[in-house]
Amino acid sequence: MSITTEKVLVTAADAGGAQRTEPALADPGRTRALPAPLRRTGRALLAVITRTVAIAALIAVWETAPRLGLVDRTFLPPFSEVAVAWWQLLLDGQLAEHAQASLGRSLTGFGLAVAVAVPLGLLIGWYRPLADLLNPLLEVFRNTAALALLPVFVLLLGIGETSKISIVLYACTWPILLNTISAVRSVDPTLLRLAKSMDLPAPKIFQKVILPASVPTVFTGIRLAGAVAILVLVAAEMVGAKAGLGYLVNASQFNFAIPEMYAGIITISAIGVAFNQLLVALERRFTSWRTPTGS
């Protein structure tokens, strides 16, 4: 084979190699892009890490501070000891028994408050004369703390289930009622004028304009009441109760079972967070028509 022929073959091979590699060089970003499922997984992991880093830091401080002698471990044991106590309470059934008692009382009082306060708030907010009539009475009761009335409920209704459910009902009513009244009164006047210009009857205006516009603010009151239901019940269970998370915390403190006391407190916090997340999911379901205002 001659030297000229060899040069021609080498040139052709180089040209073919350049042609084969040219598409990759033309779009280098295509080889570096991650598939969509991997990108979604990465974003989900980042969101989980962002939301849990503060809790993890708190647990780390809780674990190390007693071991380093920064606080007295008699009164604040390490988190690991509290976790062991929580697990033992769960295994012997005490935690489930107390949590079931507390959830039954709080959900009953909370449900009754929603059933009473939402329709009443819509009615008071819609009819101005009724609002003017009841406003002084509402101001009196909204500024009377529920726990201040706990002895009254106990005296009138006894130390049984009725008084505990009633105090939760009373405490949850006011956030829901006041937010519902505010929701009705703060409806955009332009929407009302537009509905009236279409000659819609009052029931239709209430159904098509007032109710949808009021849902976000009403759910704000419901979420506030959800937190109040747990807090007030725990305080009520510390008086004359024989079961419940409040009773567990109080009895553990009285018997100086400090890890069990913190285990009860952690359980109360976990139930409160889970209940709030459930209400947030319901709110998103009922307000899915809203346009998001931010990322």
Side-chain angles (χ1 to χ4, degrees), residues 83-123:
V84 171
W86 185 91
W87 183 250
Q88 296 199 343
L89 287 172
L90 181 65
L91 290 180
D92 62 19
Q94 292 187 55
L95 192 64
E97 176 186 355
H98 293 303
Q100 183 178 0
S102 293
L103 284 174
R105 295 162 182 159
S106 61
L107 290 178
T108 302
F110 174 78
L112 290 173
V114 172
V116 171
V118 171
L120 185 59
L122 293 173
L123 187 64

Side-chain angles (χ1 to χ4, degrees), residues 34-60:
L34 292 175
L38 289 179
R39 291 199 300 270
R40 287 194 294 267
T41 303
R43 286 195 295 266
L45 288 176
L46 180 61
V48 170
I49 293 173
T50 303
R51 294 178 181 179
T52 58
V53 64
I55 300 296
L58 174 63
I59 292 174

Side-chain angles (χ1 to χ4, degrees), residues 231-242:
L231 298 177
V232 171
L233 177 66
V234 168
E237 288 177 339
M238 292 182 177
V239 180
K242 295 183 178 179

Side-chain angles (χ1 to χ4, degrees), residues 107-161:
L107 290 178
T108 302
F110 174 78
L112 290 173
V114 172
V116 171
V118 171
L120 185 59
L122 293 173
L123 187 64
I124 295 174
W126 180 248
Y127 292 104
R128 179 68 64 174
L130 183 61
D132 295 337
L133 176 65
L134 296 179
N135 188 60
L137 190 62
L138 295 179
E139 288 297 325
V140 170
F141 280 107
R142 70 175 290 190
N143 290 290
T144 304
L147 293 180
L149 295 176
L150 179 58
V152 178
F153 281 91
V154 172
L155 287 174
L156 295 177
L157 302 174
I159 60 174
E161 299 297 308

Side-chain angles (χ1 to χ4, degrees), residues 16-30:
Q19 291 174 356
R20 286 192 299 270
T21 58
E22 184 176 357
L25 294 175
D27 190 10
R30 185 180 300 173

Side-chain angles (χ1 to χ4, degrees), residues 16 30 63 73 114 117 130 164 185 230 256-257 275 278 293:
R30 185 180 300 173
E63 179 69 26
R73 66 184 299 164
V114 172
L130 183 61
K164 295 172 179 56
R185 291 181 178 176
I230 301 295
F256 213 72
F275 192 38
L278 175 62
T293 56

